[in-house]
Amino acid sequence: MPTGPATDGTGPARSRERFLQGEPVEAGVRASILSSWQRCGVLGLSPDQDDLPFRDDFDPDGPIVRAAVPVLDRLQTRFAGSAMNISVADANGTVLLRRFGEASLARVLPAIQRVPGFVFAERVAGTNGIGLALAERRLIRVYGAEHFAERSQGSACRALPVRDPLSGRIEGVLCFGYPRGVENPALDTVIRKAAEAIERRLLGQSSARERALLRAYLDAGARTAAGLHRGIGVDELALELHPRDQSVLMGTAAELISRGDRAAVDVHLSDGRRVTLVSRPVTTASGVAGIAVEAVLPALSPAMSLAVPRQADEPLGAPAELAGVLGGSLSGAAHATPAPGHLSVTVSSRHLPVAEFGQGATTTDADGATDHHPDPPPPERGLVLVGEPHVGTYALAARRRLELLSEAGTRIGTTLDIRRTAEELAETAVPRLADFVTIDLPEAVLRGEESADPGSDLRRTVVHGIRDDLPFWPVGKRVDYGPTTPQLRCLTDGQAVLEPDLKAAAGWLAQDPEHTEQLLSHIHSLITVPLVARGVVLGIVGFYRGQDPAPFGDDDRSLAQELATRAALSIDNARRYTRERTMALALQRSLLPHGMPDQDAVDVAHRYLPAESDVGGDWYDVVPLSGTRIGLFVGDVVGHGMLSAATMGRLRTAARSFAELDFPPDDVLTHLDNLVGRLDREDPASDGGGIIGATCLYAIYDPTSQQCTMARAGHPPPAVVHPDGTVSYPDLPAGPPLGLGGLPFEATEIHLPEDSRLVLYTDGLIEDRQRDVDVVLDQLREVLAQSDRTPEDTCQAVLDTVAPAHPCDDIALLVARTHALDPGRIATWDLPADPALVSEIRASAVRQLADWGLDEAAFAAELMLSELVTNAIRHGAGPIRVRLLHGRTLICEVSDASNTAPHLRRAAGTDEGGRGLFLVAQLSRSWGTRYLPQGKVIWAECGLAGV
């Protein structure tokens, strides 16, 4: 963004003018500045306001002042002779210190810019460096017209929050102010180093108090021990402990310090031993009160004693030497690192008088009774932690945050379900971080896609809290956030937004005054965090606090950001999985039959149920065949995902093609077996070892004879339900799975009376880790025994009763109820291979068609039969059979004992023959050849008008 004055009607000055006039500002101004302007507008601030609140009750000698004075003095020397205005404000925006590079500035500047005590918080001063640094909690640069107030248009500034290194809280703001025409990028480095120097001095103040507490503890121990000199050795007690035990001891010690009173707690170690942690008050000569925590080890046998290495006693060193035992971050507790703000030391192994904690010969129970017994061996004792209670509170809070993050790693993302993952985030955060959590995800994300505009299609996905009666927007409601709300600000900036006091959050209040007014009686603080993973915006999570009186702080914001980041990765994984599963499922469904063909052989119903985890390669098909027969397929490709679905499509297409060639079931499986083997060999990933596995069952039912021929390749056998309700599983040879190659398949023929039901299924229906297959088959038998059900009802009953509640594999189910072709609609003639009989067959066929009322089809049927019978007599072998089938169409069949098949060809003009099959092809809807165990059948099908 240009940093000079606006010369062409653009830049910050023009953008500010447009904003103040109520015009939309879409470009030319940074997001943080625009958000601040919007908040100022909601608060009703005037850009012409000159006066600011003044406070004279600030502490001129507080910790931040004592830490900042030497640093500001050095800065004043560095910027001597310049127009630099250096200030330090407290966490409320009240200026505590002022320094000037040019002394004359202190005389010419207005009081608001030179006298400590004026409040520059954004809520009263508008957009400025100090106020915006407190609102954004980071380094801020405000230039010229980016200020909200008119009085600051000629100025520029940089401001950076100063934090307490122990607690992480913002204690104040360091601000550099200078004329708008002066600009130097190096000021970023200078202000950061100056803020770090102030923070180090804040730490030094706390460290001096801790060192004084340690010295008081050691002095008291020396007096109690009647002159015995006590040296210290860092972390000696932890040398023989498991890291998990060290972490437990340090955490318990920090909790004891945070309580601030005398206490004794037994800590049981992982190896069965016990350590007693004892806390007692310690007071320094200057009156600093703290708590010391000692570990008391009971006397153990030599074989069980805790070895503490001895070392030469060392006198208490100078403060700089003791600084080496100051604690770091609590994350090191697992390695016996002291907690923040605590000294972690251990007294060298010495036997101290029991009198220090009471006479060892007498113990008093809770009722005041005493028990006299011989003095036990003196215990071993060592100092674990010493610190002030409020510092212990910080350390304990930090430890609990670490534990929460550790727990989040195991609780969030246990499934690949988007909604469930969001619920796990909420359940992890309540109540340890927040009292209530709401999560809003775009509809596109819930479908597994990326949202083009996340802020415009948000939908409430999760509401979870310590109570269920709060008036949060319900799950499923579309959520629209205004431009000044914290939620939309966090989406715009990509960072967590903290609103410690919702009653003062103008943007949040303006979103829905009536709704927010209801919530304010239950909640008081908010952290809203964007869910972003791999550059994809997934939604918004809001953490609310109401029961806990303490508002959210910066540490809570950091924790919420970390939780949201971890959860966002899991949600994105679930989103990507949902997208892949949706694509695979769409591919799977597109490759399955979209409808059942019109035919009279069977009534068919089917179901496909994908696995919960992923889409597999289960499939089914219904193929009309010649002679009113019907082919029924069900198959299963091993594996899940896109590859299995694509392989399934290839197998189903091939199976249908082989079936339409009128191959018997065992031949169809042989061709499929060869195809799978070829796919394996052609796939470079298989390396010749075979990667595709598949099973298949193929059945052909003939309604004219009510016979069903079946063969299977490693597939579960079908169930046959007879008209009387009895259920059986035919003893059908199993056959090898497809792809093994070289092994034969066997077909079996069974009789299916009319109204029988043939039930074909994949192994996902009956195989489950939690159930026995035989038990499931018996259960399936009971369900199918209801003979009065339609195929649709049967499918639904099987899925409701037999299918597993959470299928881990796909389920394909096909139920076919058989019909029989009325014998009165079948006409058959047997004749020898005599050409003289062709005319008789034509005449008999015409009479039969007249009896059926098919006079209109008689001419075409007569010609086709004449040609087919003549070909059979001339080129085939006897006996010859002619059959007419009257169903949806008229089918003419001529069979003979020869295996030679006729071929359609185009006859030349001089040829005397060769036009018979061409004539048949022109007169029929379709025609073909079907081979029998002995001979073949030539058939032709004619359409019937009105049928």
Side-chain angles (χ1 to χ4, degrees):
M1 187 183 68
T3 57
T7 59
D8 56 354
T10 62
R14 175 57 181 157
S15 297
R16 180 175 175 276
E17 292 173 7
R18 294 179 59 193
F19 174 80
L20 294 177
Q21 293 172 5
E23 299 179 13
V25 180
E26 300 178 355
V29 60
R30 291 177 290 160
S32 59
I33 299 297
L34 179 58
S35 297
S36 179
W37 287 355
Q38 292 171 337
R39 293 193 295 269
C40 295
V42 172
L43 291 168
L45 299 181
S46 171
D48 300 323
Q49 180 180 354
D50 289 329
D51 58 330
L52 290 180
F54 178 80
R55 297 180 55 188
D56 57 4
D57 59 346
F58 64 88
D59 186 0
D61 192 34
I64 185 68
V65 174
R66 294 197 307 272
V69 165
V71 179
L72 263 64
D73 289 343
R74 292 196 298 272
L75 289 173
Q76 183 177 27
T77 301
R78 175 168 184 168
F79 292 110
S82 70
M84 183 68 72
N85 182 348
I86 309 165
S87 59
V88 170
D90 64 13
N92 296 317
T94 303
V95 175
L96 307 178
L97 294 171
R98 289 280 192 187
R99 294 288 190 275
F100 304 96
E102 177 60 50
S104 60
L105 291 175
R107 297 188 295 271
V108 300
L109 289 176
I112 197 174
Q113 296 183 15
R114 60 182 172 83
V115 178
F118 285 96
V119 180
F120 281 82
E122 185 187 70
R123 67 180 182 277
V124 294
T127 306
N128 69 92
I130 294 175
L132 193 52
L134 289 173
E136 297 285 337
R137 287 169 166 77
R138 58 185 175 89
L139 176 63
I140 287 296
R141 173 182 170 275
V142 183
Y143 179 87
E146 292 180 334
H147 290 87
F148 187 76
E150 293 287 350
R151 64 175 180 272
S152 303
Q153 299 299 294
S155 302
C157 64
R158 278 176 167 79
L160 180 64
V162 178
R163 302 174 184 269
D164 183 338
L166 292 180
S167 67
R169 296 181 306 178
I170 292 179
E171 296 293 337
V173 177
L174 174 63
C175 182
F176 291 175
Y178 44 90
R180 186 179 64 182
V182 178
E183 182 61 35
N184 189 341
L187 288 177
D188 285 352
T189 302
V190 175
I191 197 171
R192 289 185 187 278
K193 290 184 176 180
E196 291 172 359
I198 297 174
E199 291 173 348
R200 285 195 300 270
R201 291 185 58 81
L202 285 172
L203 177 62
Q205 293 179 30
S206 298
S207 300
R209 298 164 68 91
E210 299 290 349
R211 290 194 293 269
L213 286 172
L214 176 61
R215 186 175 291 106
Y217 166 79
L218 294 176
D219 291 344
R223 290 193 301 271
T224 304
L228 175 64
H229 179 70
R230 300 177 65 183
I232 63 171
V234 178
D235 297 335
E236 287 179 357
L237 181 64
L239 293 178
E240 296 296 326
L241 296 181
H242 189 278
R244 183 170 58 254
D245 294 333
Q246 300 173 26
S247 177
V248 173
L249 282 174
M250 300 300 292
T252 307
E255 186 170 358
L256 288 173
I257 291 178
S258 67
R259 295 178 182 175
D261 54 8
R262 291 180 179 270
V265 176
D266 285 340
V267 178
H268 295 275
L269 306 181
S270 58
D271 58 3
R273 293 178 294 180
R274 175 176 56 86
V275 174
T276 301
L277 294 181
V278 179
S279 64
R280 60 186 179 91
V282 178
T283 305
T284 68
S286 61
V288 177
I291 298 293
V293 179
E294 295 175 317
V296 181
L297 280 69
L300 304 174
S301 65
M304 297 178 61
S305 63
L306 181 64
V308 180
R310 298 180 179 272
Q311 66 181 41
D313 292 338
E314 299 175 359
L316 180 62
E321 296 170 337
L322 285 174
V325 297
L326 284 175
S329 66
L330 188 61
S331 62
H335 304 285
T337 302
H342 296 156
L343 291 178
S344 175
V345 296
T346 304
V347 177
S348 297
S349 177
R350 291 188 181 274
H351 298 311
L352 302 182
V354 181
E356 185 172 348
F357 291 94
Q359 295 297 325
T362 303
T363 59
T364 304
D365 59 20
D367 299 325
T370 59
D371 180 21
H372 294 275
H373 51 79
D375 288 348
E380 291 183 339
R381 180 175 303 147
L383 179 65
V384 177
L385 284 178
V386 61
E388 295 178 83
H390 71 277
V391 179
T393 302
Y394 299 144
L396 186 60
R399 180 181 182 84
R400 287 174 176 169
R401 292 187 185 101
L402 252 182
E403 292 173 347
L404 180 58
L405 288 177
S406 176
E407 181 179 338
T410 59
R411 291 189 60 180
I412 301 176
T414 59
T415 69
L416 287 172
D417 180 83
I418 297 175
R419 287 182 172 83
R420 180 55 195 151
T421 303
E423 291 171 356
E424 290 170 345
L425 168 60
E427 293 168 358
T428 301
V430 176
R432 298 169 65 178
L433 172 62
D435 296 326
F436 303 94
V437 172
T438 63
I439 300 177
D440 307 317
L441 302 179
E443 293 184 4
V445 171
L446 293 172
R447 295 193 302 268
E449 304 168 2
E450 295 183 11
S451 176
D453 186 7
S456 65
D457 64 342
L458 289 171
R459 192 165 294 277
R460 180 58 50 86
T461 306
V462 173
V463 177
H464 181 70
I466 57 177
R467 294 166 50 190
D468 298 330
D469 57 346
L470 291 196
F472 286 106
W473 285 323
V475 172
K477 178 179 174 60
R478 186 182 180 88
V479 181
D480 294 316
Y481 291 112
T484 62
T485 56
Q487 288 85 353
L488 204 61
R489 283 161 48 202
C490 82
L491 270 185
T492 303
D493 298 341
Q495 299 292 328
V497 173
L498 168 62
E499 292 288 358
D501 185 5
L502 284 177
K503 293 182 179 179
W508 184 78
L509 293 170
Q511 167 70 12
D512 187 347
E514 181 179 355
H515 181 249
T516 52
E517 186 66 27
Q518 297 175 1
L519 284 175
L520 280 177
S521 60
H522 304 282
I523 60 176
H524 58 73
S525 190
L526 163 68
I527 298 174
T528 180
V529 189
L531 292 167
V532 182
R534 303 181 182 95
V536 178
V537 178
L538 303 172
I540 303 173
V541 55
F543 301 90
Y544 294 87
R545 185 169 285 178
Q547 181 172 343
D548 190 339
F552 284 123
D554 284 321
D555 288 342
D556 298 313
R557 184 182 66 164
S558 299
L559 178 60
Q561 180 84 56
E562 179 66 22
L563 280 176
T565 300
R566 297 189 181 194
L569 287 174
S570 297
I571 291 176
D572 190 50
N573 288 337
R575 179 193 66 83
R576 293 156 69 94
Y577 165 77
T578 300
R579 180 186 61 187
E580 296 296 328
R581 186 176 188 274
T582 301
M583 293 173 60
L585 186 58
L587 174 63
Q588 171 87 336
R589 294 194 182 280
S590 69
L591 296 175
L592 290 173
H594 294 172
M596 293 292 103
D598 295 332
Q599 44 81 35
D600 295 322
V602 292
D603 293 332
V604 179
H606 55 87
R607 292 290 190 276
Y608 171 73
L609 185 64
E612 282 192 349
S613 58
D614 206 349
V615 178
D618 290 20
W619 59 282
Y620 59 88
D621 206 351
V622 177
V623 184
L625 303 175
S626 63
T628 68
R629 298 172 306 139
I630 195 74
L632 304 174
F633 277 105
V634 66
D636 182 7
V637 176
V638 175
H640 296 86
M642 298 286 286
L643 177 61
S644 295
T647 304
M648 177 275 294
R650 300 170 74 176
L651 283 184
R652 175 180 169 255
T653 301
R656 189 177 186 91
S657 299
F658 296 143
E660 289 178 343
L661 291 175
D662 269 328
F663 291 148
D666 51 339
D667 285 352
V668 169
L669 295 183
T670 300
H671 288 295
L672 289 177
D673 181 58
N674 294 333
L675 173 64
V676 172
R678 185 165 61 254
L679 292 177
D680 266 334
R681 291 190 297 272
E682 293 174 353
D683 195 320
S686 69
D687 195 22
I691 61 171
I692 299 174
T695 64
C696 184
L697 171 64
Y698 181 36
I700 296 177
Y701 172 69
D702 188 347
T704 63
S705 63
Q706 301 174 38
Q707 294 295 114
C708 182
T709 305
M710 296 180 286
R712 62 180 178 134
H715 201 83
V720 175
V721 185
H722 297 277
D724 60 359
T726 59
V727 180
S728 64
Y729 298 101
D731 186 13
L732 186 63
L738 300 177
L740 294 184
L743 298 176
F745 298 95
E746 299 181 49
T748 298
E749 189 173 77
I750 61 174
H751 182 69
L752 292 181
E754 187 173 10
D755 287 332
S756 298
R757 281 173 292 164
L758 185 63
V759 181
L760 285 68
Y761 51 88
T762 56
D763 56 3
L765 178 68
I766 61 173
E767 294 182 4
D768 186 65
R769 298 174 183 173
Q770 310 298 328
R771 305 183 299 173
D772 183 80
V773 173
D774 293 334
V775 174
V776 177
L777 290 176
D778 290 340
Q779 190 178 12
L780 178 62
R781 188 193 304 271
E782 295 176 3
V783 174
L784 296 177
Q786 302 291 332
S787 60
D788 56 341
R789 289 190 176 125
T790 65
E792 285 287 342
D793 294 338
T794 301
C795 280
Q796 196 59 47
V798 169
L799 291 184
D800 292 342
T801 308
V802 182
H806 304 282
C808 58
D809 194 7
D810 290 16
I811 297 175
L813 178 64
L814 191 66
V815 177
R817 184 173 61 188
T818 63
H819 295 297
L821 188 61
D822 185 355
R825 288 176 170 250
I826 304 174
T828 305
W829 298 275
D830 293 318
L831 65 155
D834 184 358
L837 299 177
V838 174
S839 59
E840 295 182 10
I841 291 298
R842 289 202 305 265
S844 299
V846 170
R847 288 193 297 272
Q848 183 63 63
L849 292 177
D851 292 342
W852 287 341
L854 302 179
D855 296 312
E856 295 181 0
F859 176 73
E862 184 180 6
L863 287 178
M864 288 189 296
L865 282 176
S866 177
E867 292 297 333
L868 296 178
V869 172
T870 300
N871 282 342
I873 293 174
R874 181 177 299 176
H875 304 291
I880 297 173
R881 169 171 288 190
V882 177
R883 188 170 71 158
L884 295 180
L885 304 176
H886 179 200
R888 289 177 176 267
T889 61
L890 176 64
I891 300 175
C892 305
E893 295 183 345
V894 177
S895 62
D896 64 82
S898 171
N899 289 325
T900 58
H903 297 283
L904 181 65
R905 66 183 181 89
R906 182 176 296 276
T910 58
D911 291 343
E912 295 183 0
R915 297 176 179 84
L917 286 181
F918 179 78
L919 182 62
V920 171
Q922 295 298 311
L923 294 174
S924 65
R925 175 183 295 179
S926 60
W927 71 281
T929 304
R930 179 172 76 250
Y931 289 94
L932 304 174
Q934 292 84 29
K936 66 179 183 298
V937 176
I938 309 296
W939 57 270
E941 181 178 347
C942 297
L944 300 178
V947 177

